[in-house]
Structures are given as structure tokens and as C-alpha cells.
Amino acid sequence: TTVTVSATASHPIPTTLWGQMFEDISSGDGGLYGELLQNRAFQQVTPGTSAALNAWSAVNRASISVVADSTPLSNALPNALRVQIPSGTTGQSGVANSGFFGIRVNSAWTYTASFFYRFPTASSFRGNAQVSLQASNGQVLGSATVALSGAQTSWTQVTVKITPTSSPSATNNLFVVSLDGAAASGQTINFGLFSLFPPTFKDRANGMRMDIAEALAEMQPSFFRFPGGNNLEGQTTATRWQWNNTVGPLTSRPGRVGDWGYINTDGLGLFEYLLWCEDVGMQPIMAVWDGFALGGTSVAEAAISPFVQQAIDQINFVIGDPTKSAPAALRSSLGHPAPFTLNHVEIGNEDFIGNSPSTVGYRWNHFATTLRSTFPQLRFLATSDLNSPVLSPQPQEWDLHVYQTPTWFAQNSFMYDGMARDGTLYFEGEYAAISTNPNDIFGSPADGRLTFPTVQSSVGEAAFMTGLERKLLVVLVVIICIPIHPGHHIGNSDIVFAASYAPLLNHVSNSQWTPNLVSFDSANVYRSTSFYVQKLFSLNRGDQYIPSTLPSQTGTLFWSVVSKQTNTIIIKVVNVATSAQTVTFRLPFSGIASTGTAQVLTGAATASNSPTTPNAVSPVTSSIEPASTFPYNAPANSLSVLTFGIN
Ligand SMILES: [NH3+][C@H]1C[C@H](O)[C@@H](O)[C@@H]1CO
């Protein structure tokens, strides 16, 4: 295959092209969000049930139960953990939390632990609670003490620091709050809102788990879509994600039953998402709920305006003027008086699911009409099927999703070339090769579903991504006597402004969806082969697109050429075949450097990075010798990023 590369760029590469899609799908609580305790505040549980005690256990004969406290910690957190220390107990007695399928104990870290407590009945008890991290055999790995008083009948919070003395490799450790059984014999204490945080990314209070945050930041994403995805929608209108329930003190956050089968604490809330975007250098692509819940209910047209108002308030929390808007004033009071960066707001999620198409017409109309007139500087994304039904007002931007086979992705890198050129922009908001079975994309692993990305699925995605990066061949309508300046183009600009793999992140011990870009357990982060593809594209995105001979749409070799600051050329070559192939580039540039680098991701088609083989496949860097006629031998199942200087 010979590829002729143009001497001049045709388009700028949108700075937002590569980024991340996030929702809490075994990825927020117990994952990116730094809180290490599961069910820390007994949110959304039914007192007296065993489910209410999820992740909690009694230590040394204490009797424990979740109660609806007669004087609740807050309106948002009505439940308390009642602990009764039995009479005649010797040794430490109390409660233990097992975390999210484990708790990593690291002696290099200082943990911050806290809880609220009150004595429902005043007592003469004065004594210490021991707050500790313990191995499963009871060995104390780190601990601190805090004085409790039986005179304390109203809620009060205590906080301690714990620096473990060892770093066991085992993660089946426990967080324990206990009292001396003899001293506390017969005492009853109510506890609420426990918390255990390790150090966080950029040391943010209520922040992100460092190793996961660092892995995500390593990809240098330019945007972050949140809060969903399905998890925006709620199974019912009442359980939808509501921005105002996710901001302010944790005692004001009731949590919600999420859309992936577990309770969300909403400790990772709108303000944390926005600070996270700033910390990583991403702009938000923020969704607002648009009147459809996944259980199938749509808000009636006549009842929709309060929900439109809630979306206005959510947007004003992000960008409003604190002197004019209460939500903006709330943002300011939380420490961010300046507006956050926000350019794109998505209205709903997947408004093609179930019966949502039957009501998306009026729902979109009300949300888009009102929001566009309220915030003319923002662009709003539709997420229904493209122009089906036809929406009014016409969407400025669409979020399209595709989950398919590796072969589909390899053969559909021209998907956007046929899109109408009418100024509409596209966000490929969710895409991933998730199954090798075209007849059962969303099936089980036994039926072709991937548990982790494989080299084959990742390379298929890479082929597709060369198409996202490539802009439509510019059809230059030469208008007589209007000189076309080199580098300028008329008729068409890039139409894909953003793309993100989905889902981004999952806990391997409790997945709701596979495969994912990054996986983790309580102590490790697993970067998938698709993560490396995303990272290679993101870190080598260049700033100008350079046209070249088009690949064959159904071939097995794909490429895209970009330039960076005019003096660097980056060629991405994808070979989805199971044998190596040579592609010869005809390079018209002057001053081609004699050496350059190749970063190559390749391996056996079914190879994956996983907990058992965490580093099976990662990019390997070697040198290349580019020239005006430059043959490159692309390995089987590979993405190669070739970089060299020109002048
Ligand atoms: N069903 C997928 C589509 C939806 O938007 C996401 O929540 C799911 C996983 O990425």
C-alpha cells in the first residue's frame, strides 16, 4: 500500500477531540471517589434490615442495627447505626466496615477517619473509642483513639488521623470503631456518617483516589462527560440524578438509588466533578435530566417546566453570576466564585431507549428552547437517534453511541464521512468494541462478550479513531478569483468535536458492565489495551490534520496524519490483520529528520491486561528512519504512532 501525504494541512484538530465519559457504574463510589467505606451513612436503606448493614459487621459481641434516629443527624441522613456494647464483655467491642471489597492499608499514607455519634440516652460513660485499620485476623495495622462522652446526646463529629505501621499486600482489611468492653459495658451509642479517606489526588478534600485519578489524567483527556449515561436518568422520576442533592456538606446529601443496582452516596457530586475537571484540565460535557426515567416514565408536557427550571439551576450553579442566581451564589459559597468552564450541555441520555422516542419531541423542544434562550453561549447536545424523530429546534450537536464488534469498528472508520454537512457537530460519546459476536453484542462472556478489552478490540477501535481524526476530504468548491489560502478550507470543518470510550472505569469485584477502559480493585489499577490506544491518540493528537490517500473502507490498514506545531509529523498506522503489512508513505516535507520514534501497541489478538496479567500488553517505543519515501512495516494487530521532525 502506498500513501501519498499532502504537503499542507486541511483542518485544525479540535482541541476537545479525545476525552472521557463517566458515570457511576461501579466506578464512582468505591472507585474514583476517594471514600473507602461502603454504606458509610446508611443512605437510602430500610432500617432494621440486613441490607441496611451492608459492609458492616459487629466486633466482639456488640449488637448493631440501623435505626431511623429519633433525632436524625440531618434531614438528608435520617439513619443511624445503633451499637450496644453487651454487659460483661472484655476486650474491644464495636463495629467494622469491610470497604468496597477490601481496604488497602498503606503505611506511606495518613488516613483521615471520622464519624458522628450521640448517646440516645445520657450516661456517665467517659472513655476512648479506638479507631483502627485491622487485618482480617484482628491484627491492628494502624489506630488512633478519640474520647467519647455519655453526656453527648446531640450529634457531634470526631475526626482522627491514622498512619499504619505496615502495608500488607492483603486487602481484606477492616475499618473498626471499638470501645473497651468492660468500660463501655451496657452502653448504647448511635453513630452516623462514618468516613475513611486516604490521601487524595491534588490533596482535594472529599477528593479522588490517587492511583485511579492519576491513571485517568495520564490520558490527558480534554473533556469529561458526566454524570451519565444511564446513571443520570433514574429508574423513576424521583430517583433521577439531581444536582442540588449532590452539592454542599455531606450531611446534606441524601444519596440515591443509582441506575446500576446500588446506592450512590453522591459524595462525588457536581462540585467535585467540576473541580476534578479543572484539576485535570478537562472541560465538562455536562448532562441535564430531560424528563425520561429508565423505568419508562416521561414527564408529561404540561408538567415539564419545573424540571427545565432544575436544569437552569444546575447550569447556573456551574456558570451563573453569584449576584444574580442562588445556585451560583451557592457555588461561590463553596469556594468557587468564578464560573467554571462550560461549553456543552447534553440534554438527557440515550433518548432512544424504550418508549423515550415517543416523548422526546416535546421534551427536547421544551428543554432546548428554554435552555438555548437562557444560555445562548452554550451548545446543547441531543442524544436521541439521529434525526429520528426530527427534533425542533434542530440540534446543534448530537451525542452518538455505538457498541459493536472489533470488525465493525475496523470497517466503519468512514462513518462520519457521509454525515450531512450542515454545521451540526458530533460527539461520539460512547463507543467500544465489546463482543466478538455480531449476533449478540450485549451478551454474556460465554456468547462473545469481552470482560476486558483485547488487542483485537483495541486495534479495531484504533482503526475507527483514525476516521474520527480524519476530517471529511475537503471538497473545495473553487470559486473563481477567490484565492484559496494554503491551510484554509471552505465548505466543511471538522464535524466530530469529541469522542470517548465507554464505560471508563469499573471495579473488577463488582462490575455492572464489561469491558471498561480502566479497571481496578481496592489496591490496583489495570490499564487496558484500549486505555493505551486512547492514550496514544490523545497524547499524539497534533493540532492540524494532513490529508493523505484514503484507506480502503473495508481494508485492514488504516492511517491518519497530523502535524504538531508545524515542525512535527505524527502518523498513526493501524493494522487489524493478523499478519504484518507494509505501508509506504510518500512524504512531501522538506527537512525530514533522519530518525524518529515509533510507539507500537501490539500483541496476540486475544491478549488483555487484567488482574491476572496486568501488564501483558503496553506500548513499546523504538526508533524509525523516515524519508521522503518511507516504508513502514506495521505488525499484525497493531497501532503504531510514528513521530518525526520536519522543518
Ligand atoms: N448502556 C450504555 C449506554 C449508556 O449511556 C451507558 O450508561 C451504558 C454503559 O456505558
Side-chain angles (χ1 to χ4, degrees), residues 194-317:
F194 293 82
S195 179
L196 175 69
F197 261 80
T200 59
F201 183 71
K202 299 215 179 208
D203 229 9
R204 283 259 182 223
N206 197 44
M208 308 301 188
R209 175 176 146 177
M210 278 190 298
D211 55 350
I212 294 177
E214 285 159 1
L216 300 187
E218 184 182 309
M219 202 193 104
Q220 293 178 24
S222 304
F223 68 83
F224 196 73
R225 174 179 172 231
F226 69 85
N230 287 353
N231 205 45
L232 163 76
E233 302 188 57
Q235 294 303 322
T236 65
T237 300
T239 59
R240 72 191 184 281
W241 185 89
Q242 301 188 57
W243 75 273
N244 43 302
N245 287 345
T246 77
V247 295
L250 295 179
T251 50
S252 304
R253 305 189 197 184
R256 60 181 277 264
V257 177
D259 292 281
W260 292 103
Y262 56 89
I263 292 159
N264 295 178
T265 67
D266 282 338
L268 170 50
L270 179 52
F271 196 60
E272 287 79 22
Y273 279 126
L274 294 167
L275 292 178
W276 163 247
C277 287
E278 284 193 341
D279 285 349
V280 177
M282 305 180 282
Q283 62 171 283
I285 296 183
M286 181 177 76
V288 294
W289 191 74
D290 76 342
F292 177 76
L294 281 176
T297 53
S298 294
V299 172
E301 184 164 11
I304 206 155
S305 54
F307 301 97
V308 177
Q309 183 57 50
Q310 188 171 31
I312 290 171
D313 292 345
Q314 178 183 331
I315 295 169
N316 270 325
F317 179 85

Side-chain angles (χ1 to χ4, degrees), residues 21 23 25 229-230 260 349-350 401 403 430 502-503 513:
M21 175 273 178
E23 65 176 314
I25 173 171
N230 287 353
W260 292 103
N349 171 64
E350 293 206 332
H401 298 174
Y403 295 92
E430 296 179 23
W513 181 285

Side-chain angles (χ1 to χ4, degrees), residues 125-149:
F125 175 80
R126 302 286 184 281
N128 280 345
Q130 182 191 61
V131 186
S132 61
L133 294 169
Q134 297 185 13
S136 58
N137 64 3
Q139 179 198 355
V140 174
L141 301 168
S143 73
T145 59
V146 61
L148 303 189
S149 163

Side-chain angles (χ1 to χ4, degrees), residues 547-568:
S548 62
T549 314
L550 287 179
S552 156
Q553 189 158 334
T554 56
T556 54
L557 266 179
F558 301 87
W559 54 87
S560 72
V561 185
V562 300
S563 65
K564 188 173 178 180
Q565 280 116 32
T566 69
N567 63 0
T568 302

